[in-house]
Amino acid sequence: DQQVKQNSPSLSVQEGRISILNCDYTNSMFDYFLWYKKYPAEGPTFLISISSIKDKNEDGRFTVFLNKSAKHLSLHIVPSQPGDSAVYFCAASGLQGGSEKLVFGKGTKLTVNP
Amino acid sequence: NAGVTQTPKFRILKIGQSMTLQCTQDMNHNYMYWYRQDPGMGLKLIYYSVGAGITDKGEVPNGYNVSRSTTEDFPLRLELAAPSQTSVYFCASSYSRSAGNTIYFGEGSWLTVV
């Protein structure tokens, strides 16, 4: 049972355009959401996060939007750069069974073409 | 700026062999984790530790053991390697496990069991 779903395994965009990566979750107990970025042969690195009390968080070229009613969040990268090419993992955090759980999606591979 | 360091980077094991993946962090984090990532899948939590002397199972603990004798070190042991344990393993750490606390990952260990 996938609690965090990234339905697009890959996404390709042109340099300078907007990249939109989507993530859906099923568990209403999740109250914090994170995006991690992973380059080949490296560990994931934290990119941006959002609390469930907000609907938007922005950090430079990266903006995360949260729609709690739809249980959907998205990561916008504007403008996209070739160096943004990586796998992006959505993760959701919340109390489950009395302890804090962090659940990762399967990832979306973003390719930004020059 | 070492962060989370894990060794070895690559290893090939024969079925039934045992080995230990080493992990150390220099950020004085209380929480440490071991994840595995199978191709096309998200990160699955194997074991975690909330501090020296305390460990607990994650989602996929079978076939693994851990120990946490110091704050810095969190080795992962495979006693009887099986082909199903072929994966990429990531050690990680965080200051706490509360919502939104950033997890820092190591660079990964590629393990193949043949």
Side-chain angles (χ1 to χ4, degrees):
Chain A
D1 177 30
Q2 262 188 281
Q3 297 188 63
V4 178
K5 299 178 184 179
Q6 293 178 258
N7 292 319
S8 298
S10 62
L11 174 69
S12 183
V13 300
Q14 285 299 120
E15 181 178 5
R17 299 287 186 99
I18 184 172
S19 296
I20 300 177
L21 296 96
N22 294 303
C23 179
D24 297 294
Y25 60 97
T26 58
N27 195 328
S28 301
M29 296 301 291
F30 290 136
D31 57 7
Y32 208 91
F33 305 89
L34 308 94
W35 285 93
Y36 279 81
K37 176 179 178 180
K38 183 183 177 305
Y39 291 117
E42 294 184 12
T45 55
F46 171 75
L47 185 59
I48 192 169
S49 63
I50 187 166
S51 164
S52 60
I53 62 173
K54 294 186 174 181
D55 54 18
K56 176 182 174 181
N57 188 28
E58 191 172 354
D59 183 4
R61 296 185 297 113
F62 303 91
T63 303
V64 56
F65 295 92
L66 176 63
N67 182 333
K68 282 196 298 181
S69 61
K71 294 191 178 68
H72 176 84
L73 64 154
S74 60
L75 174 68
H76 292 211
I77 307 174
V78 182
S80 301
Q81 300 174 354
D84 296 329
S85 297
V87 177
Y88 290 79
F89 290 99
C90 171
S93 173
L95 273 176
Q96 291 187 48
S99 63
E100 191 74 29
K101 302 288 186 193
L102 181 65
V103 181
F104 286 86
K106 292 184 178 182
T108 297
K109 183 178 181 181
L110 173 67
T111 303
V112 181
N113 301 303
Chain B
N1 288 9
V4 179
T5 304
Q6 53 181 113
T7 58
K9 185 91 171 180
F10 301 96
R11 182 73 186 268
I12 298 175
L13 276 182
K14 292 185 179 178
I15 294 172
Q17 283 186 321
S18 62
M19 75 158 297
T20 299
L21 295 174
Q22 301 291 344
C23 177
T24 187
Q25 52 92 8
D26 62 0
M27 296 174 281
N28 202 31
H29 285 165
N30 294 320
Y31 286 74
M32 295 189 74
Y33 316 84
W34 275 105
Y35 286 89
R36 61 178 283 174
Q37 185 194 7
D38 299 326
M41 303 295 287
L43 295 155
K44 299 288 187 182
L45 183 64
I46 304 171
Y47 270 96
Y48 68 98
S49 168
V50 304
I54 307 170
T55 62
D56 207 348
K57 296 178 180 178
E59 301 171 73
V60 289
N62 292 342
Y64 306 95
N65 278 302
V66 293
S67 59
R68 184 96 181 269
S69 57
T70 67
T71 300
E72 295 79 19
D73 301 306
F74 190 42
L76 176 73
R77 181 144 182 96
L78 286 71
E79 290 293 351
L80 289 170
S84 61
Q85 293 177 304
T86 294
S87 190
V88 183
Y89 292 83
F90 292 100
C91 180
S93 73
S94 66
Y95 177 70
S96 78
R97 214 180 177 200
S98 60
N101 210 265
T102 302
I103 293 180
Y104 296 87
F105 287 86
E107 293 191 338
S109 296
W110 274 253
L111 177 65
T112 302
V113 182
V114 296

